Every structure is written in structure tokens, then in C-alpha cells.
Amino acid sequence: MIFLTFIITLLHEIISFGISKTKYTKNRREFFKKGLDIGAVSLVLATNAKAMDNARNIELEIVDVKIKNLLAPYKIVQISDVHIGGLIDKEFIKNLVDKINLLGADIVVITGDLVDTKLEYAKPALNELGNISSKYGTYFIVGNHEYFHGVKPIIDYVNSLGIKTLENENVYIGEENKGFYLCGVYDRFGFRYGAFKPDINKALLNTQDFPTVLLAHQPKYINSIEDTKGIDLILCGHTHGGQIFPFNFLVKLEQPYVRGLNVHNEHTLVYVNKGTGFWGPPMRLGASAEITVLKLSS
């Protein structure tokens, strides 16, 4: 709130300075100045209210993705960066699961930063995720925040809910001889953590015969992959789409992609989910929370 107020105040001061340099009469300048003051206060209140409202409302993003050599269509529902803890509680997750279950997903994927508190406090909300329904199951990869709260216990507990954590591995999804491989890697934060490090070679093992979808929390991980020829689609999160404008420009300095569907090269597409929850302040401006529906077809 302080940041948004500062930005609007800065604009107010610039415009106010411009008014003071005009050739209008003193009374006319004061009239414009008073209108500017009222407008700036109104804008501060409206912007902050809108940002808080955006954080509570999750939008549905429907994306058509063409996958070469995919022999049957599939629907993937993606959520990411839920950040369970604080205001993201059991009730929030229950409502989220209800929305997901209306979408008729073939699979549901959770691309990291699911837990952002001690596991014991997150369990009631995590339990609700066990109610997600889809044709071929729910799959999870860790994000950087899981490393801060006990990555192994979180993985074990999520697995106990019937949600499969992909730990540098892959699973076959779909009809026999008409499906695709879903691969997942640990987050690149594992290199700094000293354990649970991503290994793309293990994740892609024996996936040559069918299309491949990779789950990797940070878009930046793609820079670690020497050749993406065997990867048709990468699903990421982490960026929150910037969450609060204009932080999206700062995120762009760190990550190659910030949001949406991106063409990485002739072989590989990258989709970045803007996040389903929020991190830090319960505010979003210029980057709505989302549930993504990816419709895969050939």
C-alpha cells in the first residue's frame, strides 16, 4: 500500500509542478491543484482496493496449445504458487478445489510454491487438495519456498494425499500409444540448498517415443537445458506475473518469461502461470491470480 501510494504521489507531484509553471491565473491554478489533490487521493484508495480485490478473485485462463505428434487431445489444469499460509487457508483451498473440479481435467498439475509455512500449519489446507478429481491424477513439483519449510516432509505429506510428486522423473499420461510423458524436476534452488537438485536427464529418461510436457517451477531453469528438442511444452510458475505493477519489469530482468504462452524455439513452448495465490501482501495489480486450462491438441 505504501509503494502504490508513493508511485501515485510521485505522479501527483510531477503534474502539480507542471501546473505551477503554467500561465494560468492564480485562482485557476489553485482550482486545478485542488482537483488534482482530490483525484490523487481517490486514485490511491481505488488502486489499493482493486489490488486487494484482485488477490481474492481467481481468473480462468484458457490456452490452446499445439503439440506435434500428439495423437489425442488432453486437458491439463495448472495451478501454481498457492503459498499456503496466513490468508491462504483451508477455506481458500476448498473453494479452489471446487473450481478445479468443475473443469473436467485429464490431469491437474501444481508447479511449485504450494506451501509457505510450517507443514503442521499447512496440513488442514493441504488435505483439501486430496479432493481434486481428474481422469489421470494430480501431479506436483516443489518450488523454491518448499526448501524453506522442509522439502522432504512436504513431499512425503503431499504424496500421502494421493498427489504424485515428480522428483526428476516422468509418468506416462493418457491412452495407450496415444498419450504423452509428464516430466518433473526439483527446483533450481536445490543447487544452493545442496540437495534435491534438478536433473533433466533423469526426468527425460526413456521419453523419446511420445510428446513430452515438463514441469519446472522457474522459467529460468530452461537456461540450464542444453537442448530442448525432446521437450514440447514446459509449464512454470514462480514469477506471479510480477504480482504488483510495475514489478513485472523487474521480474523480466531475472526470468526469461514472466507470464503466458511463449515460443522458446522451434521445438519448445513455455507457459508461465501468474500464480493462484499470492506472496507477501494480499494484493495483485496488473497480474490476476489464475487457474490455467491448457487444451493440448496436434
Side-chain angles (χ1 to χ4, degrees), residues 20 34 67 78 84 94 111 136 140 168 231 243 271:
S20 70
K34 185 172 291 186
I67 301 291
Q78 179 192 10
I84 290 172
K94 184 180 184 302
T111 47
Y136 298 111
F140 168 65
N168 294 332
I231 307 171
Q243 189 163 319
Y271 187 84

Side-chain angles (χ1 to χ4, degrees), residues 93-209:
I93 301 301
K94 184 180 184 302
N95 291 333
L96 174 62
V97 170
D98 289 342
K99 291 182 174 73
I100 292 171
N101 287 344
L102 293 173
L103 299 175
D106 288 307
I107 63 169
V108 175
V109 298
I110 306 170
T111 47
D113 283 4
L114 175 61
V115 177
D116 206 3
T117 186
K118 289 183 178 180
L119 179 58
E120 60 185 291
Y121 302 136
K123 284 181 178 180
L126 285 172
N127 291 342
E128 293 295 329
L129 292 174
N131 296 320
I132 292 176
S133 61
S134 64
K135 189 172 183 178
Y136 298 111
T138 303
Y139 300 88
F140 168 65
I141 57 165
V142 297
N144 55 302
H145 278 254
E146 272 76 30
Y147 292 81
F148 305 146
H149 302 288
V151 61
K152 185 63 168 66
I154 289 173
I155 289 172
D156 290 342
Y157 195 76
V158 169
N159 287 342
S160 75
L161 299 172
I163 299 170
K164 169 64 177 173
T165 304
L166 295 175
E167 303 180 67
N168 294 332
E169 59 186 319
N170 62 74
V171 294
Y172 181 82
I173 302 293
E175 302 174 34
E176 187 176 358
N177 297 322
K178 291 185 179 181
F180 63 94
Y181 279 104
L182 182 70
C183 313
V185 291
Y186 292 122
D187 184 59
R188 62 191 305 273
F189 189 82
F191 293 125
R192 190 187 307 179
Y193 186 77
F196 301 97
K197 303 174 185 178
D199 187 330
I200 190 62
N201 293 323
K202 285 181 65 177
L204 296 177
L205 196 63
N206 299 322
T207 60
Q208 297 85 356
D209 297 333

